[in-house]
Amino acid sequence: MSAQSFLTTGRKIIAIGRNFSEHAKELNNAVPKSPFFFLKPTSSYLENGGAIEIPRGCEVHHEIELAVVIGKNGRDISAAKADEYIGGYALAIDLTARDIQLEAKKASLPWTASKGFDTFTPISEFIPKHQISDPANVDIWIKVNDQYRQQGNTKDMIFSIPTLIEHVSSIMKLEVGDVILTGTPKGVAAIQAGDIVTAGIRPEEHQSDLLQVQFDVIDRVGGFVHVK
């Protein structure tokens, strides 16, 4: 097992919430004083070129994120040693059925369903660690139908990647192939069937995007129906 095979061998997706202050504010959420996270199933992965499925009756929003792929097992990892546990990176989109999430929050219920649908974690191929020399200075962007929706840089994170690794590993063991979604900048918005979603990532040392991904958006046939 290696970090490179995270799409098929990784055991969990750890998604950090509200790690960009402007994103927290746009959703009328408080800016956190310490990191918090939720889990997504690895069955929600969607490889580059796949089709995002919109469940019936759902309003689905995109959230572009830098993904950290864990390279070796560890727990109680200090921030000072966190870099030793990073195997590489990826570019990911955390999709959210926003209406389901808001209903769950109002009822003080878990909102796993809003994040866990099949195809709700579109993600790039593995990016070797050496290709991103400074993960704290990486441009990420997402377009819908060739119009920019989100453009941000990881330097604006509230909590750094080492801090996130320290926090998460103090609660649960991190294992090879696990993915940490590190948070999204402002600009989240809805997508719908017929849209084309593209996204890219550019580390500081690159003159152009290191990679880009593209996904069609379609209606999901069958399965869940959200009744409002």
Side-chain angles (χ1 to χ4, degrees), residues 6 65-69 88-92 123-127 132 179 201 211:
F6 75 93
E65 314 206 12
L66 174 66
V68 173
V69 185
Y89 304 94
L91 179 65
I123 196 163
S124 74
E125 65 267 28
F126 179 79
I127 300 172
I132 298 181
V179 162
I201 180 170
L211 62 76

Side-chain angles (χ1 to χ4, degrees), residues 9-38:
T9 61
R11 300 183 67 178
K12 54 187 176 289
I13 303 169
I14 301 136
I16 306 298
R18 305 176 197 169
N19 201 25
F20 287 73
S21 61
E22 293 305 312
H23 168 60
K25 292 174 183 177
E26 73 179 344
L27 295 182
N28 298 313
N29 291 320
V31 176
K33 299 186 185 311
S34 61
F36 86 92
F37 63 90
F38 52 91

Side-chain angles (χ1 to χ4, degrees), residues 120-134:
F120 266 34
T121 312
I123 196 163
S124 74
E125 65 267 28
F126 179 79
I127 300 172
K129 185 177 179 180
H130 68 85
Q131 292 190 11
I132 298 181
S133 61
D134 183 7

Side-chain angles (χ1 to χ4, degrees), residues 3 68-73 85-87 165 174-180:
V68 173
V69 185
I70 298 301
K72 67 177 183 178
N73 295 350
Y85 291 82
I86 297 174
I165 290 175
L174 290 174
E175 300 169 291
V176 175
D178 285 350
V179 162
I180 300 177

Side-chain angles (χ1 to χ4, degrees), residues 14-184:
I14 301 136
I16 306 298
R18 305 176 197 169
N19 201 25
F20 287 73
S21 61
E22 293 305 312
H23 168 60
K25 292 174 183 177
E26 73 179 344
L27 295 182
N28 298 313
N29 291 320
V31 176
K33 299 186 185 311
S34 61
F36 86 92
F37 63 90
F38 52 91
L39 298 178
K40 299 188 69 170
T42 56
S43 56
S44 68
Y45 281 139
L46 178 67
E47 295 186 59
N48 185 20
I52 295 167
E53 298 179 350
I54 305 297
R56 289 179 289 176
C58 292
E59 179 181 326
V60 176
H61 287 195
H62 57 73
E63 301 179 17
I64 189 68
E65 314 206 12
L66 174 66
V68 173
V69 185
I70 298 301
K72 67 177 183 178
N73 295 350
R75 64 193 296 259
D76 298 333
I77 302 164
S78 69
K81 293 187 176 181
D83 187 67
E84 300 174 15
Y85 291 82
I86 297 174
Y89 304 94
L91 179 65
I93 305 171
D94 175 23
L95 293 174
T96 307
R98 191 71 69 196
D99 43 2
I100 294 178
Q101 183 187 49
L102 292 176
E103 289 172 7
K105 284 182 176 181
K106 288 179 181 178
S108 298
L109 295 172
W111 31 273
T112 302
S114 71
K115 296 281 191 174
F117 286 101
D118 293 346
T119 78
F120 266 34
T121 312
I123 196 163
S124 74
E125 65 267 28
F126 179 79
I127 300 172
K129 185 177 179 180
H130 68 85
Q131 292 190 11
I132 298 181
S133 61
D134 183 7
N137 189 3
V138 176
D139 289 326
I140 53 176
W141 59 265
I142 190 168
K143 293 180 179 180
V144 178
N145 302 326
D146 208 34
Q147 298 295 314
Y148 280 109
R149 292 280 188 86
Q150 292 178 274
Q151 293 177 276
N153 188 288
T154 55
K155 67 184 178 184
D156 295 323
M157 287 181 181
I158 299 169
F159 304 107
S160 68
I161 289 170
T163 298
L164 298 178
I165 290 175
E166 179 178 70
H167 178 72
V168 174
S169 71
S170 74
I171 296 168
M172 60 183 65
K173 181 179 181 180
L174 290 174
E175 300 169 291
V176 175
D178 285 350
V179 162
I180 300 177
L181 305 181
T182 57
T184 193

